[in-house]
């Protein structure tokens, strides 16, 4: 199948050729002809499949006829996050090089004035996050009666983020006669309801789920202890031993952990940045750019911040935490092995992760291989119980001692508190400055001897009593991938 058989205009075909794509991906081959025929399309596909071009290329072709009017955009694309919106804009720049399209981006965190100016000029393409779009609408700066094509992208993500009421409102503001292109990786009931309400006889195109698309990704599990410092040590071992690691995204479940881990890796000399939903738009964009250009090799991120990011060549993904929702695992590992490239994904597993791991393996319909010994979840649960009991014992002892007024600081100093050392050092996430660190250096740490510099991190495995078997091996050995 070639691009030229899809019905795209000559100008678009020439832009596609310049961008180096030889053949359409499956979603492009299936969706583009329907879009060009002005049909509604329901595309079940996720990022990494080439779905963005499956709507941008035919839209540019269709936009060749007609002109935009002030404050009346001709097409509207709704995206759940600012980054995704920015990526779609990049797509229009890349494939629209032979056109003079006015593309306006309405995203939060950017001044209204600049966005107003673009709207005033008349937008052929308006790319927006739902909240900011409605803000402009309510300020009377935007008229939606002229929208001919509406794209709702990553609908299931919109659902996760609570945007469905906004989407419904927007759909009602746009003429019924519009063409609607609707994309979602999954089809929960609420999404199906939206499709039934707002699409007219849609053509359904579906491409293989990431669980099968991600066959090029080597996936491995690595067991570790319960404590965060143990997880961090395991992560460093994985990074140091990973083969052909060019760059990596490390996923954490919580923003706070993104901050802590970023700080820890930086301290250990890695070339690292962080990305999470609380950062302002400028810092997020700057961070992403630093990562894309290779200035930062490792990006610690939360799911919301990383969803849908178009970073074409991530060699490795590390799950510092197993995701709470199994579907996020698929999205996370989808950051690597994109468009047929090889990639590797390593997940750190603790004794608490039995349920999460079961859910993931069920979702991807395969049993993942371990590096070294698998976590013995039963034994881990016992260990945890015993630790809790011990801690309670120690606590009540110290309360009693406190009551007796015997505050012995030397005893405190000598007590085994390896697991608290680092957590104290890295716990105040709010104080952490997330500006990108402009260091060009190898992924590996700047100086390996910092590890035993007395901050407690490098020493902890033995003393924790939980030594994952794979970490007892010669550390120079490469991690199988
Ligand atoms: P998407 O699913 O839209 O996020 O695209 C995933 C990646 O595939 C992006 O880096 C695109 O630049 C790339 N891509 C899109 N279409 C093609 C194609 N026909 N051939 C090769 N790569 C593509």
């Amino acid at each position: 199948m070639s691009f030229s058989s899809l019905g795209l205009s000559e100008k678009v075909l020439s832009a596609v050729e310049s961008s180096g794509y030889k053949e359409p991906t499956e979603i492009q081959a299936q969706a583009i002809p329907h879009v060009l025929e002005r049909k509604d399309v329901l595309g079940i596909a996720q990022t990494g499949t080439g779905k963005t071009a499956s709507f941008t290329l035919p839209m540019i072709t269709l936009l060749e006829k007609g002109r935009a009017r002030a404050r009346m955009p001709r097409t509207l694309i709704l995206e759940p996050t600012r980054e995704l919106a920015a990526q779609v804009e990049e797509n229009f720049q890349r494939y629209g090089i032979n056109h003079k399209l006015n593309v306006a981006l309405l995203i939060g965190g950017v001044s209204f004035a600049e966005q107003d100016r673009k709207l005033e000029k008349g937008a052929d393409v308006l790319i927006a996050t739902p909240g900011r779009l409605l803000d402009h609408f309510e300020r009377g700066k935007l008229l939606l009666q002229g929208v001919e094509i509406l794209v709702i992208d990553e609908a299931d993500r919109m659902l996760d983020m609570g945007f469905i009421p906004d989407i419904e409102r927007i759909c009602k503001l746009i003429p019924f006669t519009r063409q609607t292109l609707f994309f979602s990786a999954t089809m929960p009931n609420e999404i199906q309801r939206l499709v039934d309400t707002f699409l007219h006889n849609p053509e359904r195109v579906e491409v293989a789920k990431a669980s099968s698309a991600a066959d090029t990704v080597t996936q491995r599990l690595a067991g570790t202890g319960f404590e965060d410092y143990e997880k961090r040590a395991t992560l460093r071992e994985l990074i140091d031993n990973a083969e052909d690691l060019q760059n990596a995204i490390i996923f954490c479940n919580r923003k706070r952990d993104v901050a802590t881990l970023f700080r820890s890796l930086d301290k250990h000399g890695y070339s690292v940045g962080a990305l999470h939903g609380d950062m302002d738009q400028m810092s997020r964009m700057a961070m992403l750019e630093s990562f894309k250009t290779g200035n930062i090799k490792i990006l610690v991120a939360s799911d919301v911040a990383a969803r849908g990011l178009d970073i074409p060549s991530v060699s490795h993904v590390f799950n510092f935490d197993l995701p709470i929702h199994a579907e996020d695992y698929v999205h996370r590992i989808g950051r690597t092995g994109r468009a047929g490239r090889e990639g590797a994904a390593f997940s750190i597993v603790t004794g608490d992760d039995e349920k999460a791991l079961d859910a993931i393996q069920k979702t991807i319909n395969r049993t993942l291989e371990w590096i070294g010994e698998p976590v013995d979840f039963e034994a881990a649960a016992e260990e945890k119980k015993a630790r809790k009991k011990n801690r309670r014992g120690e606590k009540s002892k110290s309360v009693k001692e406190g009551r007796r007024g015997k505050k012995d600081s030397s005893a405190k100093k000598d007590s085994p508190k390896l697991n608290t050392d680092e957590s104290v050092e890295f716990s105040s996430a709010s104080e952490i400055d997330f500006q990108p660190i402009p260091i060009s250096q190898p992924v590996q740490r700047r100086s390996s001897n910092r590890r035993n510099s007395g901050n407690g991190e490098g020493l902890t495995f033995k003393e924790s009593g939980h030594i994952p078997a794979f970490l007892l091996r010669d550390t120079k050995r490469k991690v199988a991938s």
Side-chain angles (χ1 to χ4, degrees):
M1 166 82 66
S2 74
F3 274 107
S4 57
S5 62
L6 298 177
L8 295 165
S9 74
E10 285 306 318
K11 284 194 210 170
V12 170
L13 285 175
S14 126
V16 169
E17 205 181 317
S18 326
S19 68
Y21 301 154
K22 302 273 175 283
E23 278 184 5
T25 64
E26 203 182 334
I27 184 87
Q28 290 161 5
Q30 286 191 50
I32 289 173
H34 293 310
V35 181
L36 290 172
E37 283 171 30
R38 292 267 181 195
K39 287 189 174 152
D40 281 7
V41 171
L42 166 61
I44 303 172
Q46 54 191 21
T47 50
T49 54
K51 83 172 154 60
T52 317
S54 79
F55 59 84
T56 53
L57 296 177
M59 278 175 79
I60 299 172
T61 299
L62 293 173
L63 283 165
E64 284 177 9
K65 286 195 193 108
R67 277 191 62 223
R69 283 189 283 164
R71 288 192 286 147
M72 289 185 74
R74 298 171 67 197
T75 62
L76 171 64
I77 300 169
L78 295 173
E79 292 289 339
T81 66
R82 298 177 273 193
E83 281 78 12
L84 272 168
Q87 277 163 31
V88 173
E89 186 190 29
E90 272 176 34
N91 254 252
F92 276 100
Q93 279 157 4
R94 193 182 323 156
Y95 307 129
I97 43 166
N98 302 317
H99 298 73
K100 283 197 185 110
L101 293 174
N102 282 335
V103 179
L105 193 60
L106 299 191
I107 52 177
V110 178
S111 89
F112 276 92
E114 175 63 22
Q115 296 178 348
D116 282 345
R117 264 195 296 281
K118 286 217 163 166
L119 286 176
E120 195 58 44
K121 257 175 67 185
D124 295 294
V125 182
L126 183 58
I127 307 161
T129 48
R132 183 49 79 102
L133 182 94
L134 287 171
D135 284 348
H136 276 276
F137 183 79
E138 276 155 14
R139 291 163 77 245
K141 298 284 180 187
L142 179 64
L143 301 167
L144 293 170
Q145 295 94 312
V147 172
E148 297 158 31
I149 303 175
L150 169 67
V151 180
I152 299 169
D153 195 18
E154 303 255 337
D156 50 354
R157 194 63 181 172
M158 304 266 200
L159 177 69
D160 289 349
M161 294 170 82
F163 291 160
I164 296 303
D166 284 352
I167 300 290
E168 291 189 280
R169 215 182 129 201
I170 294 166
C171 283
K172 288 177 188 158
L173 295 171
I174 300 176
F176 197 61
T177 50
R178 64 167 188 265
Q179 179 181 14
T180 308
L181 314 175
F182 190 102
F183 293 87
S184 191
T186 55
M187 288 298 292
N189 289 342
E190 293 93 325
I191 296 295
Q192 187 59 52
R193 187 181 60 76
L194 267 191
V195 168
D196 295 342
T197 315
F198 294 110
L199 273 69
H200 311 300
N201 297 324
E203 294 290 344
R204 184 186 168 104
V205 295
E206 185 165 359
V207 299
K209 287 200 185 108
S211 47
S212 49
D215 282 343
T216 52
V217 179
T218 303
Q219 301 169 61
R220 296 283 184 274
L221 305 172
T224 191
F226 286 107
E227 307 293 345
D228 279 356
Y229 70 87
E230 293 174 290
K231 292 175 81 176
R232 287 195 283 269
T234 301
L235 175 70
R236 292 194 301 274
E237 294 289 345
L238 289 171
I239 296 172
D240 293 350
N241 290 320
E243 265 177 18
D244 297 328
L245 195 151
Q246 315 287 325
N247 57 358
I249 302 183
I250 302 171
F251 285 99
C252 297
N253 289 351
R254 292 173 302 178
K255 281 181 286 199
R256 203 190 62 194
D257 292 335
V258 170
T260 310
L261 187 57
F262 160 74
R263 182 68 165 253
S264 169
L265 288 169
D266 180 48
K267 240 186 136 116
H268 279 79
Y270 293 88
S271 167
V272 64
L275 197 71
H276 70 63
D278 277 356
M279 290 161 72
D280 66 55
Q281 179 66 4
M282 291 275 278
S283 314
R284 278 153 70 128
M285 291 295 198
M287 185 66 75
L288 198 54
E289 202 47 37
S290 289
F291 186 62
K292 276 186 178 175
T293 55
N295 204 14
I296 284 169
K297 303 285 185 198
I298 297 175
L299 191 63
V300 186
S302 62
D303 289 290
V304 169
R307 179 78 174 226
L309 294 184
D310 181 17
I311 304 159
S313 53
V314 175
S315 71
H316 284 66
V317 164
F318 296 95
N319 287 317
F320 182 73
D321 302 303
L322 283 189
I324 296 159
H325 304 293
E327 276 181 13
D328 279 332
Y329 178 83
V330 177
H331 288 290
R332 289 179 181 187
I333 69 161
R335 305 295 99 217
T336 184
R338 305 193 88 187
R341 291 185 191 91
E342 303 244 316
F346 294 93
S347 301
I348 296 175
V349 182
T350 75
D352 282 328
D353 289 331
E354 187 173 17
K355 273 195 190 141
L357 182 59
D358 281 351
I360 287 167
Q361 298 191 127
K362 231 186 203 165
T363 301
I364 60 173
N365 201 18
R366 76 161 88 155
T367 306
L368 295 170
E369 268 180 54
W370 293 81
I371 302 167
E373 285 297 304
V375 169
D376 179 341
F377 290 108
E378 244 172 65
E382 288 301 315
E383 185 190 321
K384 198 171 183 183
K385 245 193 242 162
R387 277 200 208 185
K388 236 186 203 165
K389 216 168 154 191
N390 269 351
R391 275 189 199 148
R392 243 184 264 141
E394 271 175 23
K395 210 171 162 188
S396 67
K397 208 170 112 196
S398 73
V399 168
K400 275 182 204 155
E401 279 175 1
R403 277 201 206 111
R404 273 187 261 136
K406 281 185 186 170
K407 257 195 174 171
D408 182 350
S409 61
S410 68
K412 220 175 173 188
K413 214 194 256 168
D414 295 341
S415 64
K417 56 177 177 111
L418 277 159
N419 33 359
T420 57
D421 269 4
E422 202 200 18
S423 56
V424 168
E425 193 175 346
F426 294 120
S427 64
S428 58
S430 57
E431 290 165 20
I432 292 169
D433 177 9
F434 279 109
Q435 297 313 307
I437 309 159
I439 32 176
S440 356
Q441 61 197 343
V443 178
Q444 271 69 20
R445 51 193 93 189
R446 293 185 286 263
S447 153
S448 57
N449 61 11
R450 288 182 67 164
R451 196 163 166 217
N452 291 325
S453 61
N455 65 13
E457 267 199 301
L459 309 170
T460 50
F461 272 93
K462 256 190 194 151
E463 313 211 11
S464 72
H466 184 102
I467 313 173
F470 80 99
L471 289 174
L472 291 174
R473 290 201 232 124
D474 179 2
T475 52
K476 288 204 176 67
R477 219 175 60 83
K478 293 279 177 211
V479 173
S481 57

